[in-house]
Amino acid sequence: MKKILLLLLLAFSMPSYAVVDKKIDTPETRAILNKVEKAYNKMRTLQAKFAQFNSKMKDDLQTGTIYISRPGQMRLQYEKGSPLEFVATKGYFIYHDKDLEEVNYFELNSTPVEWILRDKLVFDDAGFVVTDVQDVLDEYYITAHKKDAKELGELTLIIDKDTLELKQWDILDIQGIKSTVSLFDIKQNILVDKKIFLFNNPYKD
């Protein structure tokens, strides 16, 4: 399950840039993408509660608080009892498993998680393909995959139509397993203590 969570966090942020598939490239689609892009780029900090689950393990629900400060900083703080810790800071994405006493460092700019932490989100670039944009009731659904690598899975961002806030993301892998992270109690552009993004490796001599 811990590996799935790591892959989920890396995968959900794949489309930092994307080209819109010609089949859905309409003025209506462009209008939605432009609205989402513009609203997201006004967000500099975020704090929200999250619920995280996987369709293969329906009884395993992870909850906690997510903190973001753009550019470049994020922490997923799980509820007490979870051994997991994810921190993006100082150019690295850090995965800490307290049970295994293991810390893994990834260069932030080499991981997909970079997209939500960039100074600016842009949908129109050659790295990824937006394959579907839907206007459903009070939500926008934006689906994308990495160009020439659809086997890595598809990501769907679910955006609240009224607030234009990111409220959920779904990842559907090649085996048909869906991973979901839902956000609630969202607070944007509030003061976030920079100490939240500090990480000291407890296993270093």
Side-chain angles (χ1 to χ4, degrees):
M1 179 59 188
K2 295 172 185 176
K3 289 184 178 179
I4 290 175
L5 291 179
L6 176 59
L7 291 173
L8 171 62
L9 289 170
L10 291 174
F12 89 77
S13 48
M14 287 195 300
S16 57
Y17 297 102
V19 168
V20 180
D21 191 311
K22 292 181 180 179
K23 296 178 182 178
I24 63 162
D25 193 355
T26 66
E28 292 78 14
T29 293
R30 287 288 176 178
I32 292 172
L33 293 177
N34 289 339
K35 282 198 296 186
V36 171
E37 191 177 282
K38 184 177 180 180
Y40 190 86
N41 286 330
K42 289 180 179 178
M43 186 273 288
R44 307 312 299 170
T45 65
L46 178 145
Q47 177 181 325
K49 299 295 184 181
F50 71 85
Q52 183 176 9
F53 58 93
N54 183 282
S55 65
K56 189 175 181 179
M57 290 170 273
K58 295 180 180 179
D59 295 330
D60 193 59
L61 176 68
Q62 299 284 334
T63 60
T65 303
I66 183 171
Y67 302 90
I68 292 174
S69 180
R70 299 170 61 214
Q73 298 183 104
M74 180 181 75
R75 176 182 287 272
L76 271 85
Q77 187 169 294
Y78 289 83
E79 297 291 348
K80 290 182 179 180
S82 173
L84 303 179
E85 187 175 28
F86 292 90
V87 183
T89 186
K90 297 181 180 179
Y92 289 95
F93 181 75
I94 303 163
Y95 167 59
H96 178 202
D97 187 321
K98 298 172 187 176
D99 280 352
L100 297 179
E101 297 187 355
E102 179 178 274
V103 177
N104 292 296
Y105 290 83
F106 305 88
E107 289 189 10
L108 186 60
N109 62 9
S110 67
T111 66
V113 80
E114 180 190 18
W115 90 271
I116 57 167
L117 303 182
R118 279 182 173 266
D119 193 48
K120 189 173 183 180
L121 169 67
V122 179
F123 281 114
D124 204 4
D125 195 271
F128 296 84
V129 179
V130 175
T131 57
D132 195 20
V133 177
Q134 294 188 32
D135 181 345
V136 182
L137 297 177
D138 59 349
E139 296 170 336
Y140 295 128
Y141 289 71
I142 302 172
T143 300
H145 66 79
K146 193 171 183 180
K147 188 177 181 181
D148 301 324
K150 192 172 182 179
E151 69 276 4
L152 296 179
E154 285 192 333
L155 167 73
T156 298
L157 303 178
I158 300 175
I159 309 294
D160 186 282
K161 189 185 296 187
D162 292 329
T163 66
L164 293 177
E165 292 177 338
L166 174 64
K167 60 187 295 186
Q168 181 174 307
W169 61 83
D170 298 333
I171 299 169
L172 184 66
D173 70 17
I174 196 170
Q175 297 178 333
I177 299 171
K178 180 188 286 188
S179 300
T180 296
V181 174
S182 298
L183 304 181
F184 51 98
D185 293 341
I186 299 169
K187 300 175 184 177
Q188 293 191 134
N189 295 323
I190 63 171
L191 182 63
V192 176
D193 190 343
K194 293 183 179 180
K195 293 180 181 178
I196 288 174
F197 307 110
L198 296 178
F199 180 80
N200 295 311
N201 190 334
Y203 313 116
K204 281 189 174 181
D205 295 332

